[in-house]
Each structure stands twice: as C-alpha cells, then as structure tokens.
Amino acid sequence: QDVSLSTKKNCIIYLAGQALPEKVKIVEVGPRDGLQNEKTIVPTETKIHLIDMLSASGLPVIEATSFVSPKWVPQMADQVEVMKGIGRIPGVSYPVLTPNLKGFQAAVKAGASEVAIFGAASELFSKKNINCSVDESLQRFNDVMKAAKEAGVPVRGYVSCVVGCPYEGKVAPEKVAYVAKRLYSMGCYEISLGDTIGVGTPGSMIEMLEAVSKEVPISALAVHCHDTYGQALANILVALQMGIGVVDSSVAGLGGCPYAQGASGNVATEDVVYMLHGLGIQTGVDLSKLMDAGAFICRTLNRKSNSKVAQAVCKL
Amino acid sequence: MLAKCQKTFYVGFRAGQALPEKVKIVEVGPRDGLQNEKTIVPTETKIHLIDMLSASGLPVIEATSFVSPKWVPQMADQVEVMKGIGRIPGVSYPVLTPNLKGFQAAVKAGASEVAIFGAASELFSKKNINCSVDESLQRFNDVMKAAKEAGVPVRGYVSCVVGCPYEGKVAPEKVAYVAKRLYSMGCYEISLGDTIGVGTPGSMIEMLEAVSKEVPISALAVHCHDTYGQALANILVALQMGIGVVDSSVAGLGGCPYAQGASGNVATEDVVYMLHGLGIQTGVDLSKLMDAGAFICRTLNRKSNSKVAQAVCKL
C-alpha cells in the first residue's frame, strides 16, 4: 500500500502494521460517570471547579452532569446549578445524560447543548437496571430523539456491557452491533461502546469492534474501557489500531466499579493521554494541567488517584 | 514495507501479524519483586511463595540473587532459599550472579541457571555500579566462562531500554549494542527492561526494531514496568512483534526504586489475564497464581498491585 509521507498532514503512524489515528478525541467522563460512582457527595462548587480545570486542560468533551432524578442519583442533584455555574469554553462540548424526555427538557432549559442516552447489550442487565428489555429501553428514548432533533441538539449513544455482563457473562458481539445500530439509526451521532465490568481483553475487544463496525461506521464509534482487570490501555490500543479515534476516560480514574466493591472502574485520563502522546497522537490536552485537575479532585475526595501517571509523578 | 515516518515511527510488519500461540512467563517476584520491597521477608515465607508459584504452573521463577548481603539484605538467605525450595522438573529457577564469586556460590547452592545484567545507559551504569557499560560487561567475562564450562545457561538483562532516570531518552541503537554484546557473550535470552516504566507502545516498537536487528526475536524477552500504567499495552505490541517471553511479578511486587511509592513490576496476574483472554497459552493456572499473590500480600501486609486480584477479591 502506498503511504504518502510527503507532508506531516498526510503522515500515517503505523504500529506493528496497523495505522493509528493522528488525532484522538478524548471524552472526559469524570464529572458525571466518575463522580456518580464515588461514595462521597461532592459540593456543587467543587464540581464546577473541577469542570473548569478540565476545560483549561484542553479536553474537547467534558460530560458535565446527568439530568436523572436526584432520588436515584443524589450525586447529580445539583445538575442545574452545575450547568449554569461552569465556564463554557467555545469549541468544547459539555454533554449531559438525559434518561427521558423530562430530563431532556430540564437539560435544555439549564443550557445543555448536547445530550446522551444509553442502552445495554445485555437483556439481563437492562432488566436488572431499568426493569425493561433492551428494545423497550430504546423505544423510551424515541421522544428524546424527536425532541433533540427538533431542538438541533446532538445526541451521543452509550452501549453498556459490550464484552461482558455481570449477570449474563459473555455478551454476543452481534447483540452489541444490534444495539449500536439501533442507536445510530435513531440519530445518535456517536456510539460509545462500554466494557462496563472491565473484563475485555484485546481479543474480545477486536471481535466486538469487528461486529459493530459492520453496522456503524468506525468514525462514529468510541470506546469506553474500564480498568477493573488492568486491561483498559491494551484494549484502547487495539481499538486505535482498528481506526477508532474517540476514547472515553475519567480524570484520576474516578468512579469505581459498581459491580466489584473496591475494584477500579474507569480508566484514568492521565494514563490514556500519556500513552497517546507517547505514540505521537494529538489530543489537544495539556497533561500537566490535567494532572492538576486530578490532584484537585483527589484532595477534595480525600482519596488516592487511580492514575499511575499521577502516582509516579507525584512521588518524584 | 519498512519506511520511516516523519514522526519517527516505523511502518512495520505484515498487517495482521499473528500473536504467538504460547508465551513463556518469567516470574521475577521472589527476586526482583522482593528485592524492591521494604519489608524483609523470612526465609520460610520466600520458600513457600516460590513453592506456590511452582504449583501454579509458571515455567521460570527467579528465585534469589547471589549478591553480597551487604548490598541487598533481602537476599541474604540466598543459600537457604535455593536449598529449601521444591524444584519441579521442567521448571527453571534462575538466580542473579553479579560476579564470579556469586556464580560459584550459586552453583554450590544448586543453581542450574543464572542471570547477568547490563544497562543501556552509561550514566545509569556509572551511578549504580560505578563503571561504564563496557567495563560492566567485561566483568562478566569470567562468569560467562565459568558458566560455559559448567554447562549453566545464562540469561542477560538490559536495563533502561527506553528511558533512564538520569539520562532521559535512551537511544535504541545503544540498547541493541548492549543486547548484542550479551548475546555474543553467550546469553541464551536477553530480557529488555523498561526500568522506570516510561515506555509507550511507540517507543517500545522503536527499541524492539533496533534490537531485533542484532538479536533474534526468539531470544528476546520484555520486562515492562507499570509505573505509568503502560505495561500491558507495551507487552501487547511486543507480542504483535513476535516476542514470546514476558517478565512479570506476582501481585506486582516491587515498587519503582526511582519514584518513591510508585508502582514498578507489572503484575503476573494481569499479564496472564490478558494472555489467556487472547487465547495464548501460558501453562499457568490463574487461580493458583492468585493464591500465591494473596499469600505474599498477607505476609507483607500490603495490598496487591494486581488489578485482577483486586477485582476478584472484592466480589
């Protein structure tokens, strides 16, 4: 295959025979997915300050909060204040989770300009979590999609349990492809594939991504890897080798695994950025400022960072 | 197709390069791991740990180091450990031998494989053992000679293969030079160590490409540190390049001596989890391996550095 190396713009980075993207968009989920899975309730000002520090680090997408009922997720009770309190940097996106039309309307009213919906690739997981089948859960989002379309608000879709389910065990790649395709057809511009319990390894990741990319263009896919078994960076690497250019992560690795008490969950953004920059991939992120944000939230939560980069650097 | 990209990455290998079917894991917990743990571990504990590791199916277990106890108190019981462990047929129990005296003591204590080491960084060599890299390799000449005469295989370790705590970035050609020297001297295998864990898949590949020009890939191993969380990703690309030997440490024993409190060795449990998930055979029973990890962590009164262990123990 002819590779044009004449200009930096056309330079393709190969890694063991597979081309890597030149740029990767990092979707920072710490303030929502991360904090939602932390035991300590964080004051509103702290959340706002965290998001502002993350904005300052150059992250292009920062999941700010969730418009779910505070009854279910007390951590996100201050959703409106957070949306109104953060400094919105032009060009940076601040998506929020909207589990239903009511949540969507409240989100837009509070100033949200991007939202996210979710579906599981496991029937049992769907039943246990939201008490309905996967198809039913997707149907419930129809009115959100309709309202979002009318309001011109982009919608991101999340698929959980894309490799394994805490109840079902192994999840069929075809099922993941089905759910991803449904979300994409409903109008989601991007589908984030989540290894919710972190059991994936590069082999199962590739198998799943191959099935999904038959139904959804790779350019519309993202990976949301959990580091519960230490596999996240290796899984992200093979996703990059397959052409995926969007990676979800959480500053300081905020957000433990809700299915394994004390075990880790989200992969740490600092560690992802370290790897990407080491590979020569652009992210737009200033690692040093990102680590400042991580150090800030860990001090506030009075906990150690889950980021190995942070642990290494802070000890020097 | 091999071409140099402006961003200094190399267009490498055939697309879809197959991963090895089997990977040999070299378990360094009892030596490299414990050597870097603050707590001095009783001899019986070391022996029991090694026996549990043997029971898990590991093919190579670095048992101890015949270095002067003055320098490494943790390894003072080197002779008792060698004599106390149960030696499973087919399993190798290499020991570090920093000089001829150590080699002779090792063989006398029953060692049937030894290891020597060299740094890919001049400053590191100077600071650590107060001589240049070439001088350090020359000092091993008599060990190599004695080992050859005794029919004892020798493994070579290269440290700082990607980065050095004093020099910073390390030239791949220097790593290739040291690896080639060790291989020519008679080492059957060269373990390439990212001593401070700064490597990422890109720098790993760059280094491995340079080294594999001088030493056959089948004689290479990777010894990745997880200080920056990069170890499994680095090991993965090494596998993609055809490397079939991986060093790791049960429970991730052994912090980084250059970053107080930071992690060092990659955890064997996490490596095995990835390899088995990839369908690669290791011969290791993960459950028994985790038992060994749990045992040593209880004894050291510390949390395991293995994420697999943390995940499983919490369920």
Side-chain angles (χ1 to χ4, degrees):
Chain A
Q1 240 178 347
D2 217 357
V3 175
S4 166
L5 301 174
S6 54
T7 63
K8 203 168 178 183
K9 193 175 163 195
N10 290 337
C11 177
I12 300 173
I13 303 167
Y14 276 81
L15 196 74
Q18 319 279 343
L20 294 183
E22 273 186 29
K23 297 183 189 193
V24 162
K25 178 176 82 175
I26 293 184
V27 174
E28 170 59 48
V29 302
R32 199 284 305 171
D33 190 4
L35 291 183
Q36 184 169 315
N37 284 298
E38 291 284 328
K39 294 192 202 78
T40 321
I41 299 289
V42 173
T44 308
E45 318 78 62
T46 303
K47 289 190 183 104
I48 289 171
H49 191 57
L50 171 64
I51 293 170
D52 287 346
M53 288 185 84
L54 292 169
S55 294
S57 77
L59 287 158
V61 184
I62 302 164
E63 202 181 48
T65 187
S66 177
F67 280 80
V68 63
S69 162
K71 201 172 42 175
W72 297 119
V73 186
Q75 181 76 278
M76 300 288 130
D78 53 4
Q79 48 203 220
V80 176
E81 295 96 314
V82 168
M83 279 316 284
K84 295 191 169 174
I86 57 178
R88 309 273 288 258
I89 296 195
V92 177
S93 189
Y94 301 88
V96 300
L97 234 65
T98 51
N100 47 40
L101 183 62
K102 182 172 165 212
F104 175 82
Q105 288 162 341
V108 171
K109 187 171 170 197
S113 34
E114 182 177 328
V115 300
I117 64 172
F118 45 89
S122 151
E123 291 293 344
L124 255 178
F125 189 84
S126 194
K127 201 109 190 97
K128 295 242 179 189
N129 259 30
I130 50 178
N131 202 24
C132 63
S133 74
V134 171
D135 271 334
E136 280 166 352
S137 75
L138 295 177
Q139 263 161 8
R140 288 180 188 183
F141 283 119
N142 274 342
D143 47 3
V144 173
M145 295 311 296
K146 187 162 176 284
K149 196 169 178 179
E150 280 164 11
V153 170
V155 183
R156 190 183 206 231
Y158 280 99
V159 185
S160 44
C161 297
V162 299
V163 187
C165 166
Y167 313 108
E168 273 186 19
K170 193 180 186 321
V171 173
E174 294 68 38
K175 181 77 175 188
V176 184
Y178 167 77
V179 179
K181 184 178 183 175
R182 280 289 308 274
L183 287 165
Y184 191 63
S185 321
M186 284 162 72
C188 292
Y189 77 93
E190 191 171 89
I191 313 298
S192 170
L193 305 164
D195 179 9
T196 306
I197 49 173
V199 292
T201 53
S204 52
M205 281 297 290
I206 288 184
E207 195 185 25
M208 180 273 298
L209 290 171
E210 282 185 337
V212 176
S213 58
K214 288 194 182 102
E215 308 292 341
V216 179
I218 290 233
S219 55
L221 294 177
V223 288
H224 185 113
C225 299
H226 277 191
D227 205 37
T228 319
Y229 290 80
Q231 309 296 306
L233 284 192
N235 291 342
I236 289 168
L237 183 62
V238 291
L240 297 176
Q241 289 180 328
M242 290 189 68
I244 298 229
V246 185
V247 175
D248 298 2
S249 58
S250 179
V251 63
L254 289 179
C257 178
Y259 302 97
Q261 187 68 24
S264 71
N266 286 309
V267 66
T269 307
E270 297 92 318
D271 299 357
V272 173
V273 169
Y274 186 91
M275 180 173 79
L276 295 177
H277 287 186
L279 283 163
I281 294 173
Q282 297 167 44
T283 64
V285 176
D286 179 329
L287 180 55
S288 161
K289 289 184 179 167
L290 174 65
M291 288 201 288
D292 288 342
F296 163 72
I297 192 64
C298 288
R299 270 196 315 270
T300 316
L301 288 170
N302 194 27
R303 58 160 279 175
K304 259 185 75 180
S305 175
N306 270 350
S307 155
K308 289 225 161 164
V309 170
Q311 290 167 29
V313 172
C314 294
K315 302 298 178 184
L316 284 169
Chain B
M1 181 168 63
L2 277 164
K4 189 170 180 185
C5 171
Q6 271 185 311
K7 292 188 183 173
T8 75
F9 282 110
Y10 291 84
V11 174
F13 305 73
R14 308 181 299 279
Q17 167 126 359
L19 295 181
E21 275 186 26
K22 297 181 189 193
V23 163
K24 177 176 83 174
I25 294 184
V26 174
E27 169 60 46
V28 301
R31 200 281 307 170
D32 190 4
L34 291 183
Q35 184 167 314
N36 284 298
E37 290 284 328
K38 294 193 201 74
T39 322
I40 300 288
V41 173
T43 308
E44 318 79 61
T45 304
K46 287 191 184 105
I47 289 170
H48 191 57
L49 171 64
I50 292 169
D51 287 346
M52 289 185 84
L53 292 169
S54 294
S56 77
L58 287 157
V60 184
I61 302 166
E62 203 181 47
T64 187
S65 176
F66 281 81
V67 63
S68 163
K70 201 173 43 172
W71 298 119
V72 186
Q74 180 76 279
M75 300 288 131
D77 54 3
Q78 47 202 220
V79 175
E80 295 97 314
V81 168
M82 278 317 283
K83 294 191 170 176
I85 57 176
R87 308 273 288 257
I88 297 197
V91 178
S92 190
Y93 300 88
V95 300
L96 232 67
T97 51
N99 48 40
L100 183 62
K101 183 172 163 209
F103 175 81
Q104 288 161 340
V107 170
K108 188 173 169 196
S112 34
E113 181 177 328
V114 301
I116 65 173
F117 46 89
S121 150
E122 291 294 343
L123 255 178
F124 188 84
S125 194
K126 200 104 190 107
K127 295 242 180 189
N128 259 31
I129 50 180
N130 202 23
C131 64
S132 74
V133 171
D134 271 333
E135 283 165 351
S136 75
L137 295 176
Q138 263 160 10
R139 289 181 187 183
F140 283 121
N141 274 341
D142 47 3
V143 173
M144 295 310 297
K145 187 162 176 285
K148 195 168 179 179
E149 281 165 9
V152 172
V154 183
R155 190 182 206 232
Y157 281 98
V158 185
S159 44
C160 295
V161 300
V162 188
C164 167
Y166 312 109
E167 274 186 19
K169 193 181 186 323
V170 173
E173 294 67 39
K174 182 78 175 189
V175 184
Y177 167 77
V178 179
K180 184 178 185 176
R181 279 291 308 273
L182 288 165
Y183 191 64
S184 322
M185 285 163 73
C187 292
Y188 76 93
E189 191 170 272
I190 313 299
S191 170
L192 305 164
D194 179 9
T195 306
I196 49 172
V198 291
T200 52
S203 52
M204 280 298 290
I205 288 191
E206 197 181 26
M207 181 272 297
L208 290 171
E209 282 189 337
V211 176
S212 58
K213 289 193 180 104
E214 308 293 341
V215 179
I217 290 233
S218 55
L220 294 177
V222 288
H223 184 113
C224 298
H225 276 193
D226 206 37
T227 319
Y228 290 79
Q230 309 295 307
L232 284 192
N234 291 342
I235 289 168
L236 181 62
V237 291
L239 296 176
Q240 289 178 335
M241 291 185 71
I243 299 230
V245 186
V246 175
D247 297 2
S248 59
S249 178
V250 63
L253 289 179
C256 178
Y258 302 95
Q260 186 67 24
S263 71
N265 286 308
V266 66
T268 307
E269 297 94 318
D270 299 357
V271 174
V272 169
Y273 186 92
M274 181 173 78
L275 295 177
H276 287 186
L278 283 163
I280 294 172
Q281 294 167 46
T282 63
V284 176
D285 179 328
L286 180 55
S287 161
K288 287 182 178 166
L289 175 66
M290 288 200 289
D291 288 343
F295 163 73
I296 193 62
C297 288
R298 270 196 316 270
T299 315
L300 288 170
N301 195 26
R302 57 160 279 175
K303 261 186 75 181
S304 174
N305 270 348
S306 156
K307 289 224 161 162
V308 171
Q310 290 167 28
V312 173
C313 294
K314 303 297 180 184
L315 285 169

